[in-house]
Amino acid sequence: MQLNKALADHDTPELVVVLAELLQKKRWMLATAESCTGGLIGAACTDLAGSSVWFERGFITYSNEAKTELLGVDAGVIAAHGAVSEPVARAMATGAIAHSPPSRVALAVTGVAGPTGGTPEKPVGTVWFGWSVDGEVRTERRRFDGDRATVRAATVHHALQTLVELLLAH
């Protein structure tokens, strides 16, 4: 694997190539749980030929009901914290693992891509991330500037870049 430049300088397709190499080396499968990106992370992963070796499945859980039904996110957690929150991102990541038995790695995103839907506490561009790598879960909140497409693209890139970093450290 060649990391001749900083991960932040890799474009999304380059990150997917590195991710594929890392997962194949470990013989691990990836599951995704996406809300605000609507499947863009899964699409980025499956754009790479041969991704069926390391990409298990993707859950597009745009509605709160889908988060509960498909990932097992407790409806009470969503009611208490909102869909765009640390507990929900964490539950989405762990739920993706629980509902995808072959997967040892998951990433989850839930956010406000805009142009509407923001609040003072959660303005447009707010995204919560969850990553589960071999049983260890990490979450992070980020805020991205720009229009809907820009926020979603930045979310995809950050989710993949951080997953690569976590796998390199694991």
Side-chain angles (χ1 to χ4, degrees):
M1 172 181 22
Q2 298 256 340
L3 290 176
N4 346 3
K5 56 184 175 178
L7 282 177
D9 295 332
H10 283 69
D11 66 20
T12 297
E14 291 172 329
L15 285 172
V16 171
V17 169
V18 176
L19 175 62
E21 291 174 3
L22 290 167
L23 289 171
Q24 288 178 78
K25 183 177 178 183
K26 293 178 182 290
R27 295 191 168 116
W28 288 356
M29 299 291 284
L30 169 66
T32 59
E34 302 181 63
S35 187
C36 61
T37 50
L40 292 174
I41 296 169
C45 290
T46 58
D47 275 348
L48 181 64
S51 57
S52 60
V53 173
W54 55 271
F55 185 85
E56 167 58 22
R57 67 185 73 178
F59 298 91
I60 301 173
T61 55
Y62 208 69
S63 71
N64 292 343
E65 293 77 17
K67 290 172 183 65
T68 299
E69 291 172 17
L70 298 175
L71 299 172
V73 177
D74 187 303
V77 171
I78 296 172
H81 301 279
V84 180
S85 64
E86 190 278 340
V88 170
R90 178 177 296 276
M92 288 173 67
T94 58
I97 292 288
H99 292 87
S100 177
S103 298
R104 303 249 318 252
V105 178
L107 70 82
V109 295
T110 182
V112 184
T116 61
T119 66
E121 300 82 31
K122 298 174 188 176
V124 170
T126 301
V127 180
W128 272 100
F129 296 84
W131 297 272
S132 179
V133 176
D134 200 28
E136 296 177 30
V137 179
R138 176 179 164 196
T139 58
E140 180 183 4
R141 179 185 185 267
R142 294 288 301 259
R143 182 158 182 284
F144 302 108
D145 292 324
D147 64 11
R148 182 177 182 82
T150 303
V151 168
R152 287 165 43 118
T155 299
V156 170
H157 190 270
H158 183 71
L160 293 170
Q161 178 183 324
T162 302
L163 182 55
V164 167
E165 291 168 356
L166 292 170
L167 289 168
L168 285 169
H170 198 275

